Amino acid sequence: GESVGLHLPTLSVQEGDNSIINCAYSNSASDYFIWYKQESGKGPQFIIDIRSNMDKRQGQRVTVLLNKTVKHLSLQIAATQPGDSAVYFCAEIYTGGFKTIFGAGTRLFVKA
Amino acid sequence: GAGVSQSPSNKVTEKGKDVELRCDPISGHTALYWYRQSLGQGLEFLIYFQGNSAPDKSGLPSDRFSAERTGGSVSTLTIQRTQQEDSAVYLCASSFTGVSEQYFGPGTRLTVT
């Protein structure tokens, strides 16, 4: 089934440390993955994406890793800042079906 | 350019009343999604529109929920005979295609008293 309505796991990190947020996706046919960031009172915002023909993609301070063997996705944030405090969602898409499935989300707290 | 807009931003209604929530997607985006988000929880998929195709309604929780998208642009989510468990933030998103990143609106916070 789809990952919905679960209480959010929480990750607390010290400012300046690296953060790793993990996600297990559900559909082995999914071939496109996106990480979103949601700040309080706002809608989710795109951070970075990766297609299934890749296992790593880097952006500015963020890296996404994809392990299709175990259906696992991770988001690494380098030198975490207070502004990174938010809820992070992974999303999986099967491009043959167009439906997006969101993970349950992880709340990141950054301690100054 | 303008992002996804939603109205109203907040809606308080009495149990049993009907409500309509509006979404204006980004111009040119063919795909439009509605999600529901309860306090502190994840996104629950409700419905998906793609171009002129029949919408994917598989996420609608009951027949009290319906949505339409007129002219391939503006969408309205209607909840009939609202219940207290309908209280949540309703998020709309659009994307250029069905397989690209989604741009979210700020949401409508619905409170059913």
Side-chain angles (χ1 to χ4, degrees):
Chain A
E2 299 177 8
S3 298
V4 295
L6 302 177
H7 293 291
L8 299 178
T10 299
L11 174 65
S12 184
V13 300
Q14 197 70 37
E15 181 179 3
D17 288 351
N18 297 332
S19 302
I20 300 177
I21 299 171
N22 296 302
C23 175
Y25 63 92
S26 58
N27 184 0
S28 58
S30 293
D31 51 4
Y32 179 47
F33 305 88
I34 305 175
W35 279 100
Y36 289 90
K37 173 186 180 183
Q38 186 177 26
E39 297 175 290
S40 181
K42 298 182 181 179
Q45 291 182 295
F46 172 89
I47 302 174
I48 191 168
D49 60 359
I50 189 168
R51 298 200 179 267
S52 60
N53 60 351
M54 304 172 68
D55 54 20
K56 180 179 181 179
R57 189 161 188 228
Q58 288 185 294
Q60 186 176 11
R61 282 201 308 119
V62 294
T63 300
V64 55
L65 299 177
L66 174 63
N67 185 331
K68 295 181 289 293
T69 302
V70 296
K71 294 191 292 184
H72 184 268
L73 198 65
S74 69
L75 177 70
Q76 300 179 0
I77 305 173
T80 314
Q81 303 169 359
D84 295 327
S85 293
V87 176
Y88 290 81
F89 293 97
C90 66
E92 58 178 301
I93 300 171
Y94 167 54
T95 56
F98 303 112
K99 187 171 181 178
T100 301
I101 299 173
F102 279 82
T106 296
R107 188 180 303 279
L108 176 65
F109 283 113
V110 182
K111 296 175 287 186
Chain B
V4 177
S5 62
Q6 293 186 245
S7 60
S9 55
N10 282 284
K11 176 71 176 179
V12 180
T13 190
E14 291 179 351
K15 177 182 173 181
K17 295 286 181 66
D18 298 351
V19 295
E20 284 190 352
L21 312 180
R22 177 187 168 105
C23 173
D24 284 88
I26 292 173
S27 178
H29 280 191
T30 63
L32 186 146
Y33 308 77
W34 282 99
Y35 297 92
R36 181 168 68 176
Q37 187 173 36
S38 299
L39 184 62
Q41 298 193 17
L43 279 73
E44 177 185 3
F45 167 79
L46 296 177
I47 189 168
Y48 162 59
F49 296 89
Q50 172 60 53
N52 295 321
S53 301
D56 178 349
K57 304 180 181 180
S58 60
L60 295 178
S62 77
D63 59 7
R64 296 187 295 105
F65 288 73
S66 63
E68 62 178 24
R69 188 178 185 192
T70 54
S73 181
V74 172
S75 178
T76 302
L77 176 69
T78 301
I79 308 173
Q80 296 178 310
R81 304 181 302 281
T82 52
Q83 304 295 312
Q84 287 186 329
E85 60 263 29
D86 299 334
S87 296
V89 174
Y90 289 81
L91 290 161
C92 173
S94 71
S95 64
F96 185 64
T97 71
V99 294
S100 54
E101 66 181 272
Q102 296 176 31
Y103 294 81
F104 283 81
T108 293
R109 182 175 297 277
L110 175 66
T111 304
V112 182
T113 61

